Amino acid sequence: MIIDIITIFPNMFKPVLGESIIKRAQNKGLVKINIYDLRDYSGNIHKKIDSPAFGGGPGMVLRPEPVFKAIESILGESLYPHKKKNSKKNIVFFTPQGKILVQKDIKRFLKYQRLVLLAARYEGIDERIRKYAIDEEVSIGDYVLSGGELPAMVFVDALVRIIPGVVSSRESVLRESFENNLLDYPHYTKPREFRGLKVPDVLLSGDHKKIKEWRKIRAYEITKLKRPDLIEKKRKQT
Ligand code: SAM
């Protein structure tokens, strides 16, 4: 998979994308992440990519030309008026107006060979970008951040870790929170007793059938307590 990120703050991405699982995934050749500075497509010597909003009001708006030019140069294809929907590519814009990201969507994005992510700033983007360049709008929650860089990083992290081969134990990805609309079960590690607090006996029993059953019940209880909405979804599924 190729992930192209368009931003005016390319340096924000380097520390996050250059560490841990995402770094390993790139080194293994399972994902290629390219960062593009939107200012390189400004078309003016001042590298200006924003302008005040027509009609007045506070804040600046990202202009359409640099964003169209950046995407067209990355994909080697024209957008409006000749855009063809390519089922292998998707152009994603991060915005509080987008659909709130859930694990099911993250899995859905796995089907694309190429994703172009647009991280905006200021008041947002010229509406013509939204209408004629963007395929999907994604929000990471009902709050307003200063820019789309953190949402883009959240998205990339969640996506890259489920690319087959990225996390060595496939099982650990498959049984995590939200799989089957359940949250994860509780985990314990050494020591067996910490300040008088003991690890549940069943986990030390070596009886894998019992352990599996215990984890299933705990996952259900935790979900019921913390996210009853997921239990409701699960019920509707069955
Ligand atoms: N004026 C916009 C509004 O009220 O919807 C908010 C603009 S915000 C200050 C600047 C940029 O941050 C947005 O264009 C978007 O790219 C990004 N952003 C902010 N909050 C976000 C969220 N919850 N999810 C995804 N992107 C977000």
Side-chain angles (χ1 to χ4, degrees):
M1 176 183 274
I2 299 174
I3 303 176
D4 302 294
I5 304 172
I6 303 171
T7 171
I8 56 169
F9 291 111
N11 290 335
M12 280 180 75
F13 290 86
K14 288 173 189 158
V16 174
L17 304 184
E19 290 287 345
S20 186
I21 290 179
I22 304 181
K23 179 183 177 183
R24 287 204 304 274
Q26 291 176 89
N27 290 346
K28 282 190 197 170
L30 295 168
V31 64
K32 182 160 176 21
I33 304 175
N34 305 309
I35 312 285
Y36 296 91
D37 188 341
L38 184 62
R39 293 189 191 281
D40 292 341
Y41 302 88
S42 65
N44 60 73
I45 49 164
H46 304 292
K47 298 207 166 224
K48 210 168 148 40
I49 38 75
D50 57 324
S51 287
F54 281 128
M60 303 293 269
V61 177
L62 275 189
R63 296 157 61 103
E65 312 97 295
V67 176
F68 273 66
K69 269 211 270 181
I71 299 173
E72 287 175 337
S73 130
I74 291 167
L75 294 181
E77 290 170 13
S78 84
L79 293 169
Y80 184 81
H82 301 297
K83 186 178 183 187
K84 284 195 198 114
K85 178 67 189 157
N86 183 332
S87 61
K88 292 182 180 151
K89 298 172 187 168
N90 213 29
I91 303 169
V92 179
F93 170 51
F94 295 97
T95 163
Q97 297 182 15
K99 179 176 183 297
I100 294 181
L101 198 60
V102 293
Q103 189 69 11
K104 207 167 79 190
D105 293 319
I106 296 284
K107 280 180 159 177
R108 183 172 54 79
F109 281 106
L110 268 185
K111 73 175 182 220
Y112 295 105
Q113 286 174 0
R114 189 158 198 168
L115 291 168
V116 179
L117 312 183
L118 175 62
R121 279 265 156 177
Y122 318 120
E123 274 312 307
I125 57 173
D126 183 286
E127 192 63 15
R128 289 163 289 187
I129 305 172
R130 194 192 292 276
K131 281 194 171 158
Y132 300 106
I134 301 301
D135 295 313
E136 235 172 299
E137 297 184 26
V138 168
S139 164
I140 62 159
D142 284 345
Y143 39 82
V144 179
L145 297 160
S146 330
E149 296 80 15
L150 291 170
M153 286 187 244
V154 166
F155 179 90
V156 170
D157 187 289
L159 180 64
V160 168
R161 66 192 306 285
I162 60 163
I163 294 176
V166 168
V167 173
S168 49
S169 165
R170 186 88 193 120
E171 198 208 337
S172 95
V173 173
L174 293 178
R175 59 122 199 86
E176 279 175 327
S177 291
F178 308 113
E179 282 302 321
N180 295 319
N181 285 314
L182 284 178
L183 299 178
D184 199 3
Y185 54 74
H187 302 272
Y188 290 87
T189 185
K190 288 177 183 173
R192 286 168 177 242
E193 189 172 332
F194 170 70
R195 298 185 183 178
L197 304 170
K198 290 183 180 162
V199 172
D201 288 339
V202 63
L203 299 179
L204 309 172
S205 69
D207 185 334
H208 294 293
K209 199 168 160 230
K210 270 194 189 157
I211 292 172
K212 201 171 167 195
E213 187 60 18
W214 181 88
R215 286 177 166 165
K216 204 171 142 190
I217 294 168
R218 292 290 93 77
Y220 188 85
E221 285 174 354
I222 287 170
T223 313
K224 205 170 157 199
L225 185 72
K226 297 182 180 172
R227 292 290 304 273
D229 58 307
L230 293 179
I231 296 286
E232 197 45 46
K233 262 195 204 164
K234 197 172 167 56
R235 204 169 282 147
K236 279 183 188 153
Q237 265 177 3
T238 48

